[in-house]
């Protein structure tokens, strides 16, 4: 996971330095620092730990479904940290992924032996 994060960060920096994308350096330094810190903590430390805990508690299939909640987490983070307002398409995508995760987990609970006894 660290390799993917480092490789994508290095690629993104090259794109910005070449001037091919956006105005990174016109953004307030505070926003850049908060984003960088969040990326390092969430992607580098919290995500692998949460993934390991989810696999241990839920099993592989159910945990894989929870990966679909990444857009919801990113949207919520954008709202809270950056004050962004998501559009209708983004909100629909978040809702659709949430419904999909719920359906996968409900189906998995029904298939587990002894699930009705809990």
């Amino acid at each position: 996971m660290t390799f993917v994060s480092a490789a994508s960060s290095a690629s993104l920096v090259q794109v910005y330095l070449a001037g091919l994308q956006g105005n990174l350096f016109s953004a307030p330094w505070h926003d850049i620092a908060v984003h960088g810190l969040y990326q390092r903590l969430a992607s580098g430390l919290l995500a692998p730990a949460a993934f390991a805990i989810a696999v241990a508690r839920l099993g592989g299939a159910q945990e894989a479904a929870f990966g679909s909640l990444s857009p919801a987490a990113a949207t919520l983070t954008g709202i809270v940290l950056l004050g962004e307002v998501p559009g209708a398409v983004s909100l629909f995508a978040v809702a659709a992924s949430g419904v999909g995760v719920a359906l996968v987990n409900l189906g998995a609970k029904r298939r587990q032996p002894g699930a009705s006894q809990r």
Side-chain angles (χ1 to χ4, degrees):
M1 195 141 210
T2 301
F3 176 75
V4 171
S5 178
S8 63
S9 294
S11 299
L12 185 60
V13 166
Q14 291 175 4
V15 168
Y16 275 105
L17 290 177
L20 300 176
Q21 178 69 30
N23 296 317
L24 175 66
F25 298 109
S26 66
W29 284 105
H30 175 265
D31 289 351
I32 295 170
V34 168
H35 178 71
L37 179 64
Y38 175 76
Q39 286 296 326
R40 292 295 167 228
L41 290 178
S43 298
L45 298 175
L46 297 178
F51 182 80
I53 292 168
V55 169
R57 291 187 180 175
L58 299 173
Q62 289 170 306
E63 186 284 323
F66 272 98
S68 298
L69 292 177
S70 295
T75 302
L76 182 60
T77 301
I79 293 168
V80 173
L81 290 180
L82 303 175
E84 293 182 354
V85 179
V89 173
S90 296
L91 292 175
F92 177 78
V94 167
S97 64
V99 168
V101 169
L103 291 174
V104 166
N105 283 296
L106 287 173
K109 284 183 181 180
R110 288 186 184 141
R111 288 189 299 271
Q112 289 177 349
S116 61
Q117 298 172 354
R118 293 182 192 185

